[in-house]
Amino acid sequence: MKYENSFLLSLYRTMVRIRYCEESFVEPILNGSIRCPVHLYTGEEAIAAGVSANLNVDDKVFGNHRSHGHFLAKGGSVLQLVAEVFCRETGCSRGRGGSMHLVDPSVGFLGAAPIVAGTISLALGVALGNKIKGNKSVAVTYFGDGATGEGVLYEAMNFASIRKLPLLFVCENNYYATHMPLRETRNRESIYEIAIPFGIEACREDGNDVLKVYERAKEAVSYCRDGKGPFFLEFETYRLRGHVGPDDNIQGEHKDIRPQQEVDTWLKKDPILRFRKHLLDSKKASKAELDSIDREIEAEVEEAHQHAHESQAPDMKELGKYVFQNAVA
Amino acid sequence: MFSKMRSLNYAMAINEALFQSMAADDTVFLIGQGLKSPWYVGQTCTGLIEAFGANRVIDTPVSENAVTGAAVGASISGMKAIVVHPRVDFMLYALDPVINEAANWCYMNGGHCSVPVVIWGIINRGGEQGAQHSQSLQSVFAHIPGLKVVMPATPYDAKGLMVSAIKDPNPVIFMDDRWLYGIEDHVPEDLYEVEIGKAVIRNSGTDITVVASSYVASEAQYAAIELKSEGFSVEVVDLRTIKPLDTACIFDSVIKTGKLLIVDGGWRSFGVSAEVAALVAENCIKYMKVPIKRLALPDIPAPASRDLEKGYYIHRDTIKNAVMEILGG
């Protein structure tokens, strides 16, 4: 496919924005100024960037525990993300949610939740609402390979299929459900095949190639938008940080889970380095242009940290606020 | 007959609430397993598919988790879903979307999203149905911050509380009891609300306060009438809403009578009766002339045998005997 340079650079910008945000959290996690559990998206940026490039503001997205990238790619603000990870009143969830509960309805990011597979059915409901209203919007649910062990995924696939709902299932297969390798949780390595018996269109793609992600998602989103039913996309990827926090593997001293050779192989497939190389090799952008984007994003993220640092913590007097809508504080 | 004196049975009162709410608001829809079948839902859904179509009145596969999650998700994004569970027992598959998602959603997202969903669980017991077709689990849901729980005892309240539950911007658990479905009483034809969180005095009295809800409130009312002819003045407080409890109404009554029997159709331990007893003990103990008494199900699963059922469930005679014991009759 032929792409406008501005489009290619916008994909690059989204991926770099996610990467800089994620890496900016490493030091504050290590020094204890960030306390909430943070699941970094480093290494998986191409998926959120490529999928979201096909969505408009009326398309609604739900995330999971590892959703900084989903939030930013859908248009969520860096300022609000960083402030939320620091649990400040200025965060997107006013410090009541933390890293795992990001939200911004104004951009169509309806929420995230760390209960594995927990938001699949919520996206199913948005798709059902779209169908009832008769609009052309699509709902997206992002989940990991671990969620394929949850029954609700299969219930949701069946229901979405029989009602032909505009629901895009996006499975980010990073080969590990916390500490459990995929091969220990499934007999078959391929995940997308689980959708086929339900009569759902499904395919598998390299999740570290942003243009391939974009093209697959484009086909899938159009399919959903045209009222043909749900679509299941499996993207193969790898987290370059641990399950939670910046460590290589799980947490603390658990460094023996993923073989170093495997980590090294995936480091070479870093989606940002690959796309940068593609842009330079195909002369779509100059090194100076890309470096300038990097510096601009770096400054944006630094400013967000400064903003979070200067922001107030939530007021103890408002501890009980927001339990109910319209409730008196 | 004047229309304002029109009578309906309890099930048809719910039916009218659903019918009028759906007619008044295009975003309201009904979903759940079995709603096409009176065997599952009595008369409550009669005529709704014919009136509003299968797009808004949706009978589903047996997938309580995904279907309830879909109701929650649709309600996050501008719809107002009512999800029906023909037996509360089967609704346990849906605890994740109810407790983890719906109840927490507003709070953990800093008040940016509300969930105007109605989760309707029907208590259906007796007739030797045994342990998994009988449970009254209001206390489970009332324990959870972010949920409201209503349990109407009369046709008037069944309609008014269903209407209020649909209009409420927060998740409301609506629990009714098949033992009430045949009760007939005055139900206005217009679309009216019964305020959530307000109890009502069913029978004014001075000797003792009986606090109850749903079926046992209805039975307490019959007991009070019988006891009146025997010279006892019993005040029946029908809670109508389990959470938030109308503490003012309860306290006013026990301050007047100085004697309290709490009746609950759920189990005795850690339940509604324990909560009411604790609140009265904390706030009104100096007015109490005798110890607070509770009447609830024993901590035993529902038996099948009709002979055992007789001693297990609470009916008007059980309540009458408990009152007499306190009053020394």
Side-chain angles (χ1 to χ4, degrees):
Chain A
M1 279 194 220
K2 290 281 183 199
Y3 298 106
E4 296 286 333
N5 284 8
S6 60
F7 173 74
L8 295 171
L9 290 180
S10 76
L11 283 180
Y12 180 77
R13 186 183 294 272
T14 301
M15 291 166 70
V16 169
R17 179 176 286 123
I18 298 168
R19 177 67 59 90
Y20 270 100
C21 273
E22 297 302 62
E23 294 303 302
S24 77
F25 294 132
V26 169
E27 188 54 37
I29 293 168
L30 293 174
N31 72 25
S33 54
I34 289 174
R35 295 284 300 274
C36 73
V38 177
H39 305 77
L40 298 172
Y41 196 63
T42 300
E44 305 186 9
E45 295 89 344
I47 301 169
V51 170
S52 268
N54 291 286
L55 304 177
N56 59 52
V57 72
D58 293 326
D59 298 321
K60 310 297 186 191
V61 167
F62 284 93
N64 49 53
H65 57 293
R66 192 182 308 286
S67 270
H68 298 177
H70 308 140
F71 175 82
L72 292 174
K74 192 69 178 61
S77 117
V78 175
L79 279 182
Q80 288 194 13
L81 167 68
V82 174
E84 190 58 40
V85 175
F86 280 92
C87 294
R88 301 302 160 120
E89 181 68 26
T90 53
C92 59
S93 301
R94 295 191 168 106
R96 271 71 170 179
S99 162
M100 299 188 290
H101 296 296
L102 307 174
V103 69
D104 187 351
S106 73
V107 300
F109 190 85
L110 290 190
I115 300 299
V116 177
T119 66
I120 293 172
S121 60
L122 304 185
L124 177 74
V126 173
L128 179 63
N130 290 341
K131 179 97 174 182
I132 293 171
K133 286 181 269 194
N135 64 29
K136 291 276 177 193
S137 298
V138 172
V140 180
T141 172
Y142 289 101
F143 53 92
D145 45 286
T148 63
E150 298 284 6
V152 71
L153 170 60
Y154 302 87
E155 292 183 23
M157 287 195 290
N158 184 52
F159 190 66
S161 178
I162 58 173
R163 308 282 307 187
K164 282 192 183 300
L165 300 183
L167 176 58
L168 181 57
F169 294 90
V170 180
C171 179
E172 298 176 308
N173 174 11
N174 65 20
Y175 289 92
Y176 289 85
T178 65
H179 64 294
M180 282 288 275
L182 189 67
R183 65 180 179 278
E184 289 183 35
T185 60
R186 303 179 53 77
N187 258 335
R188 290 172 68 84
E189 198 199 315
S190 149
I191 287 174
Y192 77 96
E193 292 175 356
I194 62 174
I196 293 170
F198 292 97
I200 295 178
E201 289 293 320
C203 67
R204 183 182 214 192
E205 187 52 270
D206 178 354
N208 281 22
D209 182 328
V210 70
L211 289 178
K212 282 187 182 161
V213 172
Y214 173 76
E215 284 157 20
R216 285 293 194 185
K218 188 180 178 65
E219 180 194 345
V221 168
S222 304
Y223 184 92
C224 295
R225 225 186 269 301
D226 291 345
K228 293 178 183 165
F231 207 110
F232 189 110
L233 292 173
E234 175 192 356
F235 292 116
E236 292 174 275
T237 189
Y238 200 77
R239 47 176 157 74
L240 295 178
R241 293 283 184 178
H243 163 65
V244 58
D247 295 332
D248 232 13
N249 283 295
I250 307 304
Q251 242 182 330
E253 297 308 306
H254 289 254
K255 292 192 178 295
D256 55 345
I257 306 290
R258 302 191 303 184
Q260 190 57 45
Q261 195 186 353
E262 182 183 286
V263 176
D264 291 342
T265 306
W266 281 94
L267 276 167
K268 288 179 198 143
K269 295 197 239 177
D270 181 325
I272 296 179
L273 295 182
R274 276 171 76 182
F275 192 46
R276 193 179 161 94
K277 185 170 184 310
H278 168 78
L279 293 174
L280 293 172
D281 290 352
S282 59
K283 303 205 187 309
K284 298 285 187 190
S286 68
K287 183 172 180 303
E289 257 178 305
L290 298 180
D291 287 349
S292 150
I293 290 173
D294 292 359
R295 296 290 76 76
E296 187 193 317
I297 300 288
E298 191 177 24
E300 185 186 355
V301 172
E302 266 177 34
E303 189 196 328
H305 276 260
Q306 190 61 31
H307 169 259
H309 185 69
E310 290 163 2
S311 293
Q312 299 291 314
D315 188 338
M316 183 51 84
K317 289 202 275 303
E318 296 189 340
L319 171 66
K321 205 172 172 181
Y322 311 121
V323 175
F324 292 107
Q325 192 79 6
N326 299 340
V328 179
Chain B
M1 195 171 207
F2 295 113
S3 64
K4 64 177 180 179
M5 290 309 293
R6 195 266 318 241
S7 277
L8 278 184
N9 72 32
Y10 187 101
M12 286 309 289
I14 291 173
N15 180 258
E16 191 165 88
L18 298 171
F19 196 99
Q20 292 179 349
S21 297
M22 291 185 71
D25 183 347
D26 284 346
T27 65
V28 177
F29 74 100
L30 179 64
I31 186 169
Q33 187 263 330
L35 59 74
K36 275 182 193 167
S37 160
W39 182 74
Y40 276 115
V41 295
Q43 295 169 282
T44 57
C45 299
T46 304
L48 295 174
I49 293 184
E50 293 79 354
F52 302 104
N55 208 31
R56 277 175 79 195
V57 182
I58 306 167
D59 204 335
T60 73
V62 190
S63 302
E64 290 87 355
N65 189 349
V67 166
T68 306
V72 172
S75 302
I76 287 169
S77 64
M79 303 295 287
K80 290 189 180 119
I82 305 148
V83 55
V84 58
H85 295 276
R87 277 195 176 84
V88 174
D89 316 70
F90 293 77
M91 181 172 152
L92 297 184
Y93 268 127
L95 283 189
D96 175 64
V98 175
I99 295 179
N100 271 322
E101 313 300 350
N104 287 326
W105 204 257
C106 184
Y107 189 82
M108 73 190 181
N109 289 304
H112 290 302
C113 288
S114 64
V115 192
V117 68
V118 180
I119 296 142
W120 170 16
I122 303 175
I123 298 164
N124 186 347
R125 56 197 165 147
E128 302 193 328
Q129 294 185 85
Q132 295 183 343
H133 272 42
S134 303
Q135 297 167 99
S136 296
L137 300 172
Q138 58 271 23
S139 302
V140 172
F141 298 99
H143 185 61
I144 308 300
L147 297 180
K148 299 180 181 183
V149 182
V150 301
M151 295 188 81
T154 65
Y156 179 92
D157 285 349
K159 179 175 173 185
L161 281 169
M162 178 58 90
V163 171
S164 294
I166 293 167
K167 289 191 175 175
D168 198 288
N170 300 288
V172 178
I173 309 287
F174 181 100
M175 292 180 94
D176 53 2
D177 190 322
R178 285 291 286 259
W179 280 345
L180 292 167
Y181 273 26
I183 289 182
E184 203 157 314
D185 202 355
H186 167 56
V187 176
E189 287 182 24
D190 54 324
L191 184 68
Y192 63 90
E193 294 177 51
V194 168
E195 190 180 344
I196 293 174
K198 290 288 177 202
V200 65
I201 305 290
R202 288 284 172 219
N203 199 68
S204 271
T206 51
D207 292 341
I208 185 169
T209 299
V210 175
V211 170
S213 55
S214 188
Y215 173 76
V216 290
S218 176
E219 290 295 285
Q221 174 72 356
Y222 291 119
I225 292 164
E226 287 179 22
L227 284 161
K228 190 176 182 183
S229 66
E230 295 168 31
F232 299 103
S233 174
V234 177
E235 179 145 303
V236 176
V237 175
D238 175 358
L239 292 174
R240 302 200 285 189
T241 296
I242 300 298
K243 193 179 190 181
L245 270 176
D246 186 352
T247 50
C249 181
I250 299 168
F251 296 168
D252 285 351
S253 180
V254 298
I255 287 167
K256 180 173 73 177
T257 64
K259 292 176 185 172
L260 173 61
L261 172 70
I262 308 153
V263 190
D264 183 38
W267 290 299
R268 181 182 174 85
S269 294
F270 304 95
V272 172
S273 68
E275 181 63 26
V276 173
L279 285 164
V280 170
E282 282 173 338
N283 293 280
C284 309
I285 198 73
K286 65 183 173 189
Y287 300 98
M288 302 310 294
K289 297 170 189 160
V290 296
I292 299 163
K293 287 285 184 186
R294 294 188 284 153
L295 179 61
L297 296 187
D299 291 327
I300 298 167
S305 151
R306 73 193 70 181
D307 300 289
L308 294 175
E309 278 183 333
K310 269 183 211 158
Y312 182 75
Y313 289 118
I314 297 162
H315 301 294
R316 63 195 72 174
D317 287 347
T318 341
I319 298 169
K320 203 173 148 188
N321 291 340
V323 169
M324 302 275 275
E325 207 170 290
I326 298 167
L327 296 180

